[in-house]
Structure formats: structure tokens, C-alpha cells
Amino acid sequence: MIKIWIIAIALFLIITFLVRAFFIGYYKKEYSKKQRNTWGAKMYYWHTIFMISGVITTLVIFLLKWSNILNF
């Protein structure tokens, strides 16, 4: 069980970094520098990044389970 949690957390961190790298250009284009420094814009941005990363991580874990690479 510990192995699955380690894999899931590692996948989540990697996917979060990749999603953030993918969306940072859009975020900078959509919000001005002054707006980006407000609490609301930051919270909206990180909430979106974490939600997308969570969904992708869940799909990857279930795909690995379905292909019998992970057994739990």
C-alpha cells in the first residue's frame, strides 16, 4: 500500500509541474502583473492547476491498474 501512495504522490508532483509549465503562458497573457499579484488570481490559478493535476493523476493510476502494471 505504501508503494502505491509513493507512486501516486510522485506522479501528482510531476504532473503538477508539467501542467503548470503548460499553463503559465496563458496565465501571464490573461492577467496583468498587478492582477497576478492579487490573492484571488493566484488562488484561482493554483486551484485550477491542482484540480487538473489530480484528475490526470487519477486517470494515470487507473490506466496503470487496468494494464496490470500496478496491483492494489
Side-chain angles (χ1 to χ4, degrees):
M1 189 68 170
I2 299 294
K3 183 173 92 171
I4 295 168
W5 281 105
I6 292 171
I7 291 170
I9 290 170
L11 274 173
F12 180 76
L13 291 174
I14 291 168
I15 291 171
T16 300
F17 176 76
L18 293 174
V19 169
R20 183 195 167 275
F22 183 74
F23 281 108
I24 193 71
Y26 172 77
Y27 178 66
K28 285 183 178 180
K29 185 177 73 170
E30 189 70 25
Y31 295 101
S32 67
K33 187 168 178 83
K34 186 176 180 180
Q35 276 184 313
R36 284 193 309 257
N37 287 330
T38 62
W39 185 81
K42 285 182 186 179
M43 188 61 123
Y44 175 74
Y45 173 72
W46 282 108
H47 181 262
T48 305
I49 296 298
F50 287 143
M51 292 300 286
I52 291 170
S53 298
V55 168
I56 293 172
T57 302
T58 303
L59 291 175
V60 168
I61 292 292
F62 282 125
L63 183 67
L64 291 173
K65 166 93 172 105
W66 178 72
S67 63
N68 289 328
I69 295 173
L70 280 180
N71 294 321
F72 57 92

